[in-house]
Amino acid sequence: MEKEAFERELLALTDTLYRVSASILPRQCDREDTIQESILTALQKRERLRDDGALRAWVVRILVNNCYDILRSQKRETSLPPDQAEIMRWDASPDADLMMRDLLLGLADEYRLPLMLFYAEGYRIREIAEILHLPQGTVQSRLHRAKKLLRQSMALEKEMSER
């Protein structure tokens, strides 16, 4: 199939791709990402398609795989235990988001990086230790210290805002 015909067929599949992704992914932004990624993958690997009649099934399979990849990555996001959830919780207001971002950015890299890898990215302590080339005990200590520093910073911010 010629490149122009291939691209036309891909664009004609957009509605189908949206419906399929909507049946798998709850968030609109994730659906849009997977559709774009699937179309890009199909364009980059179009020479691998052996049967032009199988284009629709091939692209939908790419989309489904991408959807499941997103679901797997979201599964890695861990829910925090109550005491740790308190550390990471803040108001939904933009000012509070900025305050938390500033507090996190205020931490030294040695504390911020393990904290973000653990809570935001969902890595386990063993994995963080491998990534950072540190002993697991050091990672645990840094996580503990980072949470303690955040608690202190949040308490200070709260105290200052009440004045």
Side-chain angles (χ1 to χ4, degrees):
M1 180 182 300
E2 292 182 25
K3 184 178 179 181
E4 292 81 20
F6 185 83
E7 289 172 359
R8 277 194 307 275
E9 291 289 325
L10 273 179
L11 290 177
L13 287 174
T14 306
D15 289 340
T16 300
L17 297 176
Y18 182 81
R19 284 189 298 275
V20 170
S21 67
S23 70
I24 300 171
L25 300 170
R27 295 186 341 195
Q28 175 75 20
C29 61
D30 290 337
R31 293 179 206 147
E32 293 168 357
D33 287 346
T34 56
I35 291 168
Q36 289 177 359
E37 185 66 31
S38 299
I39 290 173
L40 181 62
T41 300
L43 286 170
Q44 291 172 340
K45 298 181 179 186
R46 77 181 180 101
E47 68 279 348
R48 292 186 185 178
L49 180 63
R50 294 187 190 111
D51 178 14
D52 292 345
L55 173 68
R56 179 183 168 113
W58 182 65
V59 174
V60 169
R61 173 60 14 207
I62 292 170
L63 174 80
V64 168
N65 288 338
N66 287 338
C67 288
Y68 287 135
D69 287 344
I70 284 183
L71 288 176
R72 275 191 296 276
S73 70
Q74 290 174 351
K75 203 176 204 181
R76 288 183 60 119
E77 295 174 6
T78 58
S79 57
L80 305 176
D83 64 322
Q84 295 169 349
E86 185 64 33
I87 295 168
M88 300 304 285
R89 186 182 311 135
W90 61 89
D91 297 334
S93 70
D95 292 338
D97 288 344
L98 290 174
M99 180 191 80
M100 181 53 82
R101 189 197 71 201
D102 290 344
L103 292 175
L104 287 171
L105 291 175
L107 290 174
D109 285 344
E110 69 184 72
Y111 299 120
R112 184 178 61 247
L113 189 54
L115 189 75
M116 297 307 291
L117 288 172
F118 188 78
Y119 290 113
E121 300 300 324
Y123 287 99
R124 288 184 239 122
I125 290 174
R126 179 183 48 78
E127 295 170 319
I128 297 169
E130 290 172 10
I131 291 168
L132 299 178
H133 302 289
L134 296 170
Q136 289 183 30
T138 302
V139 172
Q140 289 173 320
S141 297
R142 289 183 181 181
L143 281 171
H144 177 75
R145 179 78 174 134
K147 291 185 289 186
K148 184 177 178 183
L149 289 169
L150 269 181
R151 273 189 215 106
Q152 291 170 350
S153 297
M154 288 173 69
L156 185 62
E157 268 309 307
K158 185 176 179 180
E159 184 180 309
M160 290 176 67
S161 69
E162 290 175 352
R163 290 185 182 178

